[in-house]
Amino acid sequence: MAARARTLVFLPALSTRLSTRLNRETISVITTTSRKCKLLSVRMASSQSAATSSLTRAVALPGFAPVQVVAGPGLSEPDFSNAIDCSLFKQWLKNMHGEKGILTNERISLIQVQIQGVDMFGSRVGFLKFKADIIDKETGAKIPGIVFSRGPAVAMLILLESGGQTYAVLTEQVRVPVGKFILELPAGMLDDDQGDFVGTAVREVEEETGLKLKVEDMINLTSFLDHTTGQGVFPSPGGCDEDLRFFLYRGKVDGETLKMLQGKETGLRDHGELIKVHVVPYSKLWRTTSDAKVLCAIALYEMAKKEGLLS
């Protein structure tokens, strides 16, 4: 302890030139190594969390070595089990080793998956967050593998003709992740694992706008995409697995119906939905909102019309 005290007293007494030189060298060392230290600490933290996790399961992949799945810090055993058994995680694994899956060319290896968070919607998993350790075998480089999983969803482009003009129906909703009210297409997640996209579309339209549409009147715009795409749209595949199907409804209404819709407050209030309906001219729709669903729907609709796919 005494030696340390003397050292602390001695350093300020160094000449200004020597002190400056030492400071510069120290700063240089810290600067050049900080990135390595940061990466090392991240790797160590990841390894330690994996090593200390008591919740571990090996999940089989057809044609590949089993994948080790571990629980992140603080994850309960029920949440861990729900995550591994849920359709979101199973579909992700299926995509990984299925047609066009990133494991199929054997250049990339899936080493481990860490389940980090689970949000339950009643008895089912609604949102899932996990981290996959994925390595490029040729370079040894680690590929970014943080996943926010929410699964399939639908969005509806509703076009109503009235008085010789076409109008689009939008909903204004509270979107906490961006901290804003956003004008967007009526949309929603699938409530089950049955894959009933069109049924979900009709239900969401009624819940969010009050309009009662028929399943047979809905046109699946994403069905016009090439089959190799999976006929869905991934709006943010760099971090999220959301898989959107876009539907179109076209109908004729009177002016009174448009007035009734404009400003109408809807949504499932007990689920925290605070929704207000807006009706805007279709010709101005692409300028009206920053919602990516709106812009995708316009592109799909206009191209389908251009190629004569819509009667």
Side-chain angles (χ1 to χ4, degrees):
M1 293 293 294
R4 290 184 181 178
R6 285 197 295 272
T7 302
L8 289 172
V9 172
F10 174 76
L11 282 175
L14 293 171
S15 68
T16 302
R17 182 180 299 176
L18 181 56
S19 297
T20 302
R21 180 181 175 187
L22 283 172
N23 286 337
R24 286 176 179 170
E25 289 178 351
T26 303
I27 291 170
S28 175
V29 170
I30 293 173
T31 302
T32 56
T33 61
S34 61
R35 185 177 179 185
K36 293 180 181 178
C37 289
K38 183 178 180 182
L39 289 173
L40 180 61
S41 64
V42 170
R43 291 189 185 116
M44 288 177 65
S46 177
S47 300
Q48 288 171 356
S49 63
T52 57
S53 175
S54 58
L55 299 176
T56 303
R57 190 189 299 183
V59 177
L61 285 182
F64 298 89
V67 176
Q68 199 74 8
V69 183
V70 301
L75 193 73
S76 68
E77 185 171 356
D79 280 347
F80 181 63
S81 295
N82 285 333
I84 294 177
D85 296 333
C86 75
S87 59
L88 294 176
F89 191 64
K90 289 179 179 178
Q91 184 61 51
W92 178 77
L93 289 174
K94 183 178 179 180
N95 291 345
M96 292 286 285
H97 67 78
E99 185 180 1
K100 290 193 173 182
I102 64 176
L103 298 180
T104 54
N105 63 6
E106 299 186 357
R107 173 178 173 173
I108 294 173
S109 292
L110 174 59
I111 308 301
Q112 176 180 278
V113 177
Q114 184 190 69
I115 306 296
Q116 298 176 320
V118 178
D119 286 307
M120 301 297 295
F121 290 7
S123 61
R124 71 182 182 92
V125 174
F127 296 146
L128 176 64
K129 183 172 182 295
F130 58 91
K131 181 180 179 182
D133 290 336
I134 298 178
I135 303 295
D136 181 347
K137 294 179 182 178
E138 291 187 7
T139 64
K142 196 170 183 178
I143 298 172
I146 296 176
V147 181
F148 172 58
S149 180
R150 55 177 294 156
V154 296
M156 288 68 68
L157 177 61
I158 302 172
L159 300 181
L160 303 177
E161 290 185 25
S162 181
Q165 290 196 56
T166 301
Y167 298 86
V169 178
L170 299 179
T171 60
E172 180 185 7
Q173 302 203 45
V174 178
R175 293 309 188 194
V176 176
V178 295
K180 297 180 180 181
F181 288 92
I182 299 292
L183 281 176
E184 57 187 62
L185 293 184
M189 300 168 58
L190 266 63
D191 294 329
D192 53 42
D193 301 333
Q194 305 305 312
D196 184 13
F197 288 96
V198 65
T200 301
V202 170
R203 287 194 300 273
E204 290 294 336
V205 168
E206 184 172 356
E207 289 176 6
E208 296 191 359
T209 70
L211 293 170
K212 295 185 178 181
L213 307 181
K214 296 179 180 179
V215 168
E216 56 265 29
D217 293 331
M218 306 294 281
I219 300 172
N220 185 349
L221 291 173
T222 38
S223 69
F224 298 134
L225 297 174
D226 191 89
H227 75 278
T228 59
T229 66
Q231 296 179 319
V233 174
F234 295 112
S236 187
C240 181
D241 71 341
E242 184 177 34
D243 180 9
L244 278 169
R245 301 295 195 276
F246 286 86
F247 289 88
L248 168 69
Y249 171 82
R250 294 179 295 184
K252 293 183 179 181
V253 298
D254 55 27
E256 193 62 31
T257 301
L258 293 182
K259 288 181 181 179
M260 180 194 69
L261 285 171
Q262 191 71 268
K264 182 179 181 179
E265 294 185 351
T266 63
L268 302 176
R269 296 304 171 102
D270 56 337
H271 289 189
E273 293 182 343
L274 304 175
I275 299 174
K276 183 180 288 187
V277 179
H278 290 257
V279 179
V280 301
Y282 177 71
S283 60
K284 297 181 180 179
L285 180 60
W286 72 281
R287 294 175 179 267
T288 303
T289 175
S290 56
D291 177 37
K293 297 186 297 297
V294 167
L295 302 177
C296 281
I298 291 173
L300 289 168
Y301 175 59
E302 291 297 333
M303 291 305 299
K305 280 201 307 179
K306 182 178 178 181
E307 297 195 10
L309 300 175
L310 295 171
S311 56

